[in-house]
Amino acid sequence: KFGRNKQEENMNKFSMFFTNVFEQIDRIGEPTLLIAESETTAHKLPALQNQHLAFDKLRVGNETYTPERLPNLRIVRTSLDVKRQPHYYHETEQKTTQGLFSWGDAKRTLYAIKKTPQTVSFKSKFASQASRHGEDGDGRTADHVVRPIAQLDEISVIFMQAGDEPRDLAAAAHRFRSTHAQYDDDTRQPFPLHELRLLGRGGTF
């Protein structure tokens, strides 16, 4: 149970939870890729936010985890926060696109464009051609405008093992979201986590 006005106590409970999760997953003894969503998970554990670019070193409560201590674990953080994303714009005949791309010299952070859903409207389908860094109707720059391309997100490889390739881990996280038992569209989370989230929204306790 988490008290609404007990932030420090709550964070301690989160730390205990993540400590148990990391250690139990590692004890399975098989290489494991853990995907953490910023919106639902990373804000509960500062180490997953990676604010100081301290890759491969997780501070959880009184514990510090390194790849040597958790040799079977890899962690990828995903984020839909528009502040973490580059602007997206292309001028080719390809109206929609998908896949993984890098930006600048970043090695551990990549960006994924999910497949455009079949149910998307005609207007939204071509929204990816517009840059928020262009000008709006009155000639002012539109930097304050939220990007209309909802299928773009950030993938950051914050914890990996020696010899791993960050792009391979990011690609695996992105590819898992294209595996679904019923349809071909990409999802925010891999199946069956996607289904569990939908079921959670539909039930009350």
Side-chain angles (χ1 to χ4, degrees), residues 83-164:
K83 296 178 181 179
R84 293 179 176 271
Q85 299 174 1
H87 69 274
Y88 172 62
Y89 182 73
H90 61 276
E91 295 178 333
T92 67
E93 295 181 359
Q94 179 82 22
K95 301 303 181 184
T96 60
T97 188
Q98 66 187 80
L100 199 67
F101 69 94
S102 55
W103 188 28
D105 297 327
K107 303 297 183 184
R108 303 284 289 262
T109 299
L110 296 99
Y111 301 88
I113 304 175
K114 294 185 282 294
K115 185 187 304 182
T116 303
Q118 297 298 320
T119 55
V120 76
S121 67
F122 180 83
K123 181 178 180 181
S124 298
K125 191 170 184 178
F126 295 94
S128 61
Q129 289 185 292
S131 168
R132 76 182 183 104
H133 293 286
E135 295 183 348
D136 55 23
D138 57 8
R140 295 180 300 178
T141 58
D143 286 346
H144 63 286
V145 178
V146 177
R147 298 171 182 78
I149 178 168
Q151 65 267 30
L152 174 67
D153 58 3
E154 177 201 72
I155 297 180
S156 183
V157 181
I158 62 176
F159 193 86
M160 68 179 193
Q161 303 297 320
D164 288 346

Side-chain angles (χ1 to χ4, degrees), residues 10-41:
N10 291 344
M11 294 305 292
N12 289 336
K13 291 180 180 179
F14 287 137
S15 295
M16 292 175 60
F17 170 78
F18 283 108
T19 294
N20 290 328
V21 167
F22 292 155
E23 294 181 358
Q24 288 181 33
I25 289 177
D26 187 73
R27 282 198 297 269
I28 294 173
E30 297 291 339
T32 302
L33 178 62
L34 181 64
I35 301 175
E37 260 190 335
S38 285
E39 292 74 24
T40 58
T41 304

